[in-house]
Amino acid sequence: MDKKKNSNIHCTVKQCEHNMETEDYCTLDAVRIGTHESNPTVPECTDCNSFVKRSNCCG
Ligand code: SF4
């Protein structure tokens, strides 16, 4: 798989199809971030909406 690291997007979510895996970076040109809260107050309230579960991961 020819994945190119985007050094502007640091990401440790190895379970994501778009993660570089060998390094903690995303391989997309851009990602979409959102929230599942009506009034987000901490980082945990936000989500990467570009996340796609890796096909060979997580059962
Ligand atoms: S799409 Fe989001 S969760 Fe997936 S590697 Fe990129 S930044 Fe991380």
Side-chain angles (χ1 to χ4, degrees):
M1 193 86 174
D2 189 24
K3 285 188 170 179
K4 192 169 171 297
K5 138 176 154 184
N6 183 340
S7 36
N8 294 314
I9 309 178
H10 191 119
C11 178
T12 60
V13 186
K14 304 286 190 194
Q15 295 83 357
C16 179
E17 187 74 54
H18 301 304
N19 196 273
M20 194 169 176
E21 267 192 295
T22 51
E23 293 183 59
D24 290 340
Y25 287 96
C26 184
T27 57
L28 295 177
D29 291 339
V31 292
R32 183 175 291 267
I33 307 301
T35 182
H36 51 274
E37 304 282 347
S38 51
N39 185 27
T41 53
V42 292
E44 288 77 6
C45 296
T46 62
D47 308 295
C48 178
N49 288 332
S50 300
F51 173 88
V52 175
K53 186 171 79 82
R54 187 177 293 285
S55 50
N56 62 352
C57 140
C58 331

